[in-house]
Amino acid sequence: MAKASSNGAFELSVKQKEPTLVPPVEETEKGLYFLTNLDQNIAVIVRTIYCFKSESKGNEESAEIIKDALSKVLVHYYPLAGRLTISSEGKLIVNCTGEGAVFVEAEADCAIDEIGDITKPDPVTLGKLVYDVPGAKNILEIPPLVAQVTKFKCGGFVLGLCMNHCIFDGLGAMEFVNSWGETARGLPLKVPPFLDRSILKARNPPKTDFPHHEFAEIEDVSNTAKLYEEEMLYRSFCFDPEKLEKLKEAAMEDGVLSKCTTFEALSAFVWRARSKALGMKPEQQTKLLFAVDGRQRFRPAIPEGYCGNGIVLTSSLCSAGELLENPLSFTVGLVQEAVKMVTDGYMRSAIDYFEITRARPSLAATLLITTWSRLSFHTTDFGWGEPILSGPVALPEKEVILFLSHGKERKSINVLLGLPASAMEVFEEQMQF
């Protein structure tokens, strides 16, 4: 029975079996596999879970079927069966050893609906559904793909994945998981992976034709670091279609903008709200970072099924005073400029910038927005129908806000974030409008 912890909160108990390695079922290519500079930039671990429950089919064979399909899909996605290492140039590269992905079977002592609201990242509870490689000191010691299937008492199960962002961006990861599901159902791959990442290698000689403010180090003159010594609170705020429409109207009411997307209005709104919540001084420079999908923006466009990172970070820089003293349309305008900046030339320049400097984007006084609202993770099907729920286990960094699509029609957006307790109170007040 799931037990209540000392403070009365629900505590999930999960028994994990010994991990096993799942190599590709056929011989695959060996040797070193190139990762681009866009892959290097975001080498963070991403943990996600997918909850399945079918009315007509129990979970007895779930682990076996998913494990078997993994060995088959790895033939197409063989770099996932390798290990990360450092190249002679000092960059991340995959050594395609074929040793396999890590797979763990587990059992939970309760029904799947007892884990509660997974739309809110809860690293303590949800973390038990994703296997952590014990003693791993850095990302090189974590295989590119770690999977755990946890069976629940009610006949449902959860697939928990731990993947490195340098292998996939959201779209690539989604295509991989959907291919894995198709394989489990005995279907051919709808989108076979395009593995050649050299199409995005740096130019020779590299040249930067644009300023890249995403790398700017900003001084924390407001001493927000002090706030972060408080307890962190995690919350999710749901913006339904009506609220999103209201936000777009507010952004356009002064007639400055002729058009405005949901993403632009929501990003501008939370950037302002978070800057206020953190008590930034008017002269505090603050930066907004977000990823733009470059697949269609590169010239020529990236081929379908490209499984590396096709996203490029773009940025906007502004003082907190300007953000808060101007109408919403001002901030939306900044977001629109940042989107417009992302052309083939800008993206090639960003690739070359990393080649020259090896710099990582700085998160000082920064908000990084990650959008999952356009990703169809909810369509994944291993034979038990689509997931009843899916989402991230935790936010990768304290500076990250996540946009997730929500609800039956996927028309609502859940905004997920973590803030120091006193800042969260101010943020919550601003979400009421």
Side-chain angles (χ1 to χ4, degrees):
M1 181 49 206
K3 56 186 185 301
S5 65
S6 52
N7 61 4
F10 167 79
E11 196 176 316
L12 175 67
S13 163
V14 174
K15 271 204 189 75
Q16 294 171 326
K17 295 184 182 168
E18 281 302 306
T20 55
L21 286 176
V22 180
V25 68
E26 295 164 23
E27 195 57 37
T28 52
E29 219 171 299
K30 301 291 185 286
L32 295 175
Y33 175 73
F34 171 75
L35 298 177
T36 72
N37 290 349
L38 297 180
D39 300 321
Q40 309 288 329
N41 247 342
I42 343 180
V44 293
I45 298 292
V46 183
R47 296 176 175 85
T48 46
I49 56 173
Y50 304 80
C51 307
F52 297 95
K53 189 169 186 219
S54 159
E55 293 310 315
S56 57
K57 190 172 170 183
N59 62 11
E60 303 76 35
E61 297 182 327
S62 54
E64 225 163 298
I65 288 172
I66 288 173
K67 186 177 180 177
D68 180 59
L70 178 58
S71 69
K72 291 174 182 159
V73 81
L74 284 177
V75 175
H76 303 279
Y77 283 92
Y78 65 85
L80 278 178
R83 294 295 178 262
L84 282 172
T85 184
I86 301 291
S87 73
S88 55
E89 296 181 335
K91 289 187 197 174
L92 285 172
I93 194 164
V94 180
N95 185 10
C96 297
T97 55
E99 59 197 276
V102 175
F103 189 86
V104 179
E105 287 181 56
E107 278 181 22
D109 60 350
C110 62
I112 210 161
D113 52 12
E114 286 183 62
I115 54 179
D117 177 15
I118 81 148
T119 58
K120 190 171 98 194
D122 172 6
V124 177
T125 299
L126 304 182
K128 295 175 183 175
L129 302 172
V130 180
Y131 182 70
D132 271 329
V133 175
K137 293 185 286 297
N138 56 49
I139 56 168
L140 298 180
E141 296 179 7
I142 301 173
L145 172 63
V146 178
Q148 176 177 319
V149 172
T150 307
K151 297 177 187 175
F152 283 77
K153 289 265 192 282
C154 58
F157 68 91
V158 170
L159 173 63
L161 297 181
C162 169
M163 294 196 273
N164 194 312
H165 210 307
C166 71
I167 302 289
F168 292 126
D169 59 13
L171 197 64
M174 184 187 82
E175 285 172 351
F176 164 68
V177 176
N178 287 348
S179 296
W180 186 358
E182 285 156 6
T183 306
R185 287 179 289 142
L187 302 172
L189 304 193
K190 209 179 282 170
V191 185
F194 180 89
L195 292 174
D196 179 13
R197 302 193 185 197
S198 67
I199 56 169
L200 294 184
K201 63 173 193 276
R203 294 170 290 198
N204 191 4
K207 57 177 194 291
T208 51
D209 311 313
F210 293 84
H212 289 282
H213 296 305
E214 62 270 35
F215 299 97
E217 278 286 352
I218 301 173
E219 197 188 334
D220 179 16
V221 297
S222 311
N223 195 15
T224 58
K226 184 94 189 90
L227 270 181
Y228 278 101
E229 292 168 12
E230 294 176 21
E231 183 200 359
M232 284 289 279
L233 296 181
Y234 293 91
R235 295 275 184 277
S236 72
F237 301 90
C238 183
F239 286 75
D240 58 20
E242 203 182 334
K243 209 166 177 180
L244 291 168
E245 208 38 59
K246 228 162 102 179
L247 206 51
K248 286 190 338 198
E249 280 166 17
M252 293 177 68
E253 67 188 359
D254 59 6
V256 173
L257 305 171
S258 56
K259 59 182 197 308
C260 162
T261 67
T262 300
F263 172 80
E264 290 159 358
L266 191 55
S267 299
F269 181 67
V270 299
W271 186 16
R272 289 175 79 191
R274 183 177 174 274
S275 302
K276 184 173 183 179
L278 288 171
M280 290 186 178
K281 293 181 173 172
E283 69 276 17
Q284 171 73 59
Q285 284 290 306
T286 169
K287 179 169 59 182
L288 174 69
L289 275 183
F290 58 91
V292 173
D293 183 12
R295 283 169 173 74
Q296 295 306 313
R297 292 170 181 249
F298 276 107
R299 292 289 166 265
I302 291 179
E304 195 186 18
Y306 179 79
C307 77
N309 284 276
I311 54 172
V312 177
L313 286 174
T314 183
S315 65
S316 189
L317 210 53
C318 180
S319 73
E322 280 179 289
L323 282 189
L324 298 172
E325 287 152 24
N326 280 301
L328 183 59
S329 59
F330 170 80
T331 311
V332 173
L334 294 179
V335 177
Q336 290 180 342
E337 283 303 306
V339 175
K340 219 165 44 204
M341 250 178 9
V342 184
T343 58
D344 179 73
Y346 174 84
M347 295 188 292
R348 302 261 173 211
S349 172
I351 291 170
D352 290 2
Y353 184 92
F354 182 85
E355 193 66 22
I356 297 163
T357 63
R358 300 293 170 91
R360 295 265 188 284
S362 162
L363 292 180
T366 295
L367 165 60
L368 172 55
I369 293 180
T370 310
T371 315
W372 285 21
S373 48
R374 298 200 266 294
L375 301 174
S376 52
F377 280 109
H378 54 279
T379 59
T380 304
D381 183 355
F382 288 90
W384 283 263
E386 294 180 356
I388 45 177
L389 284 167
S390 61
V393 167
L395 295 167
E397 303 278 352
K398 67 181 191 312
E399 295 83 5
V400 172
I401 289 186
L402 201 54
F403 292 176
L404 278 171
S405 58
H406 188 62
K408 261 282 166 268
E409 313 301 33
R410 309 268 147 198
K411 294 272 194 307
S412 299
I413 294 180
N414 252 343
V415 173
L416 277 78
L417 77 157
L419 279 174
S422 62
M424 186 60 87
E425 210 174 301
V426 183
F427 191 86
E428 281 180 324
E429 279 164 20
Q430 293 176 89
M431 292 299 110
Q432 313 306 321
F433 67 92

